[in-house]
PDB file of all heavy atoms in Angstrom:
ATOM      1  N   HIS A 524      95.446 141.523  37.875  1.00 97.00           N
ATOM      2  CA  HIS A 524      96.791 141.973  37.480  1.00 97.00           C
ATOM      3  C   HIS A 524      97.375 142.881  38.568  1.00 97.00           C
ATOM      4  O   HIS A 524      98.571 142.780  38.912  1.00 97.00           O
ATOM      5  CB  HIS A 524      96.672 142.714  36.144  1.00 97.00           C
ATOM      6  CG  HIS A 524      97.950 143.319  35.654  1.00 97.00           C
ATOM      7  ND1 HIS A 524      99.094 142.575  35.425  1.00 97.00           N
ATOM      8  CD2 HIS A 524      98.274 144.606  35.358  1.00 97.00           C
ATOM      9  CE1 HIS A 524     100.060 143.381  35.016  1.00 97.00           C
ATOM     10  NE2 HIS A 524      99.594 144.615  34.977  1.00 97.00           N
ATOM     11  N   THR A 525      96.534 143.742  39.116  1.00 98.00           N
ATOM     12  CA  THR A 525      96.979 144.647  40.188  1.00 98.00           C
ATOM     13  C   THR A 525      97.490 143.844  41.384  1.00 98.00           C
ATOM     14  O   THR A 525      98.546 144.145  41.960  1.00 98.00           O
ATOM     15  CB  THR A 525      95.805 145.556  40.627  1.00 98.00           C
ATOM     16  OG1 THR A 525      95.286 146.207  39.478  1.00 98.00           O
ATOM     17  CG2 THR A 525      96.244 146.583  41.651  1.00 98.00           C
ATOM     18  N   LEU A 526      96.753 142.794  41.732  1.00 98.00           N
ATOM     19  CA  LEU A 526      97.168 141.975  42.882  1.00 98.00           C
ATOM     20  C   LEU A 526      98.440 141.183  42.581  1.00 98.00           C
ATOM     21  O   LEU A 526      99.283 140.989  43.471  1.00 98.00           O
ATOM     22  CB  LEU A 526      96.045 141.021  43.286  1.00 98.00           C
ATOM     23  CG  LEU A 526      94.764 141.670  43.810  1.00 98.00           C
ATOM     24  CD1 LEU A 526      93.800 140.612  44.338  1.00 98.00           C
ATOM     25  CD2 LEU A 526      95.068 142.672  44.909  1.00 98.00           C
ATOM     26  N   ALA A 527      98.574 140.740  41.334  1.00 97.00           N
ATOM     27  CA  ALA A 527      99.802 140.004  40.964  1.00 97.00           C
ATOM     28  C   ALA A 527     101.011 140.931  41.139  1.00 97.00           C
ATOM     29  O   ALA A 527     102.059 140.523  41.659  1.00 97.00           O
ATOM     30  CB  ALA A 527      99.707 139.490  39.533  1.00 97.00           C
ATOM     31  N   LEU A 528     100.842 142.202  40.746  1.00 97.00           N
ATOM     32  CA  LEU A 528     101.940 143.161  40.918  1.00 97.00           C
ATOM     33  C   LEU A 528     102.172 143.456  42.398  1.00 97.00           C
ATOM     34  O   LEU A 528     103.310 143.629  42.842  1.00 97.00           O
ATOM     35  CB  LEU A 528     101.634 144.462  40.163  1.00 97.00           C
ATOM     36  CG  LEU A 528     101.709 144.366  38.639  1.00 97.00           C
ATOM     37  CD1 LEU A 528     101.304 145.683  38.009  1.00 97.00           C
ATOM     38  CD2 LEU A 528     103.120 143.987  38.180  1.00 97.00           C
ATOM     39  N   ALA A 529     101.080 143.508  43.168  1.00 97.00           N
ATOM     40  CA  ALA A 529     101.218 143.741  44.620  1.00 97.00           C
ATOM     41  C   ALA A 529     102.023 142.596  45.242  1.00 97.00           C
ATOM     42  O   ALA A 529     102.881 142.817  46.108  1.00 97.00           O
ATOM     43  CB  ALA A 529      99.849 143.858  45.278  1.00 97.00           C
ATOM     44  N   ASP A 530     101.770 141.374  44.793  1.00 97.00           N
ATOM     45  CA  ASP A 530     102.533 140.229  45.318  1.00 97.00           C
ATOM     46  C   ASP A 530     104.016 140.338  44.975  1.00 97.00           C
ATOM     47  O   ASP A 530     104.861 139.810  45.688  1.00 97.00           O
ATOM     48  CB  ASP A 530     101.953 138.906  44.789  1.00 97.00           C
ATOM     49  CG  ASP A 530     100.707 138.485  45.564  1.00 97.00           C
ATOM     50  OD1 ASP A 530     100.642 138.756  46.783  1.00 97.00           O
ATOM     51  OD2 ASP A 530      99.786 137.912  44.961  1.00 97.00           O
ATOM     52  N   GLU A 531     104.301 141.052  43.878  1.00 96.00           N
ATOM     53  CA  GLU A 531     105.719 141.274  43.522  1.00 96.00           C
ATOM     54  C   GLU A 531     106.281 142.506  44.214  1.00 96.00           C
ATOM     55  O   GLU A 531     107.447 142.857  44.008  1.00 96.00           O
ATOM     56  CB  GLU A 531     105.841 141.478  41.998  1.00 96.00           C
ATOM     57  CG  GLU A 531     105.579 140.233  41.198  1.00 96.00           C
ATOM     58  CD  GLU A 531     105.451 140.535  39.701  1.00 96.00           C
ATOM     59  OE1 GLU A 531     105.826 141.652  39.260  1.00 96.00           O
ATOM     60  OE2 GLU A 531     104.965 139.660  38.988  1.00 96.00           O
ATOM     61  N   GLY A 532     105.442 143.231  44.946  1.00 94.00           N
ATOM     62  CA  GLY A 532     105.911 144.440  45.655  1.00 94.00           C
ATOM     63  C   GLY A 532     106.059 145.649  44.748  1.00 94.00           C
ATOM     64  O   GLY A 532     106.765 146.599  45.084  1.00 94.00           O
ATOM     65  N   SER A 533     105.356 145.645  43.618  1.00 93.00           N
ATOM     66  CA  SER A 533     105.493 146.752  42.660  1.00 93.00           C
ATOM     67  C   SER A 533     104.768 148.013  43.136  1.00 93.00           C
ATOM     68  O   SER A 533     103.658 147.941  43.664  1.00 93.00           O
ATOM     69  CB  SER A 533     104.918 146.309  41.315  1.00 93.00           C
ATOM     70  OG  SER A 533     104.704 147.431  40.492  1.00 93.00           O
ATOM     71  N   ALA A 534     105.384 149.174  42.897  1.00 88.00           N
ATOM     72  CA  ALA A 534     104.763 150.452  43.265  1.00 88.00           C
ATOM     73  C   ALA A 534     103.674 150.847  42.265  1.00 88.00           C
ATOM     74  O   ALA A 534     102.874 151.736  42.527  1.00 88.00           O
ATOM     75  CB  ALA A 534     105.826 151.549  43.317  1.00 88.00           C
ATOM     76  N   GLU A 535     103.644 150.163  41.118  1.00 91.00           N
ATOM     77  CA  GLU A 535     102.639 150.461  40.089  1.00 91.00           C
ATOM     78  C   GLU A 535     101.220 150.265  40.599  1.00 91.00           C
ATOM     79  O   GLU A 535     100.262 150.769  40.009  1.00 91.00           O
ATOM     80  CB  GLU A 535     102.837 149.475  38.928  1.00 91.00           C
ATOM     81  CG  GLU A 535     103.289 150.090  37.632  1.00 91.00           C
ATOM     82  CD  GLU A 535     103.147 149.067  36.523  1.00 91.00           C
ATOM     83  OE1 GLU A 535     104.033 148.184  36.425  1.00 91.00           O
ATOM     84  OE2 GLU A 535     102.169 149.132  35.791  1.00 91.00           O
ATOM     85  N   THR A 536     101.064 149.481  41.663  1.00 92.00           N
ATOM     86  CA  THR A 536      99.713 149.162  42.131  1.00 92.00           C
ATOM     87  C   THR A 536      98.973 150.401  42.630  1.00 92.00           C
ATOM     88  O   THR A 536      97.758 150.403  42.669  1.00 92.00           O
ATOM     89  CB  THR A 536      99.743 148.136  43.281  1.00 92.00           C
ATOM     90  OG1 THR A 536     100.546 148.661  44.319  1.00 92.00           O
ATOM     91  CG2 THR A 536     100.300 146.811  42.832  1.00 92.00           C
ATOM     92  N   ASN A 537      99.702 151.451  43.028  1.00 91.00           N
ATOM     93  CA  ASN A 537      99.020 152.642  43.546  1.00 91.00           C
ATOM     94  C   ASN A 537      97.985 153.159  42.552  1.00 91.00           C
ATOM     95  O   ASN A 537      96.841 153.429  42.920  1.00 91.00           O
ATOM     96  CB  ASN A 537     100.038 153.761  43.834  1.00 91.00           C
ATOM     97  CG  ASN A 537     100.916 153.392  45.013  1.00 91.00           C
ATOM     98  OD1 ASN A 537     100.554 152.505  45.787  1.00 91.00           O
ATOM     99  ND2 ASN A 537     102.068 154.021  45.126  1.00 91.00           N
ATOM    100  N   ILE A 538      98.399 153.307  41.306  1.00 96.00           N
ATOM    101  CA  ILE A 538      97.486 153.834  40.290  1.00 96.00           C
ATOM    102  C   ILE A 538      96.573 152.725  39.763  1.00 96.00           C
ATOM    103  O   ILE A 538      95.365 152.911  39.588  1.00 96.00           O
ATOM    104  CB  ILE A 538      98.290 154.490  39.142  1.00 96.00           C
ATOM    105  CG1 ILE A 538      98.838 155.843  39.605  1.00 96.00           C
ATOM    106  CG2 ILE A 538      97.461 154.672  37.885  1.00 96.00           C
ATOM    107  CD1 ILE A 538      97.780 156.910  39.890  1.00 96.00           C
TER     108      ILE A 538
END
Side-chain angles (χ1 to χ4, degrees):
H524 176 58
T525 306
L526 295 187
L528 289 176
D530 280 326
E531 290 169 14
S533 164
E535 246 192 281
T536 57
N537 291 342
I538 285 294

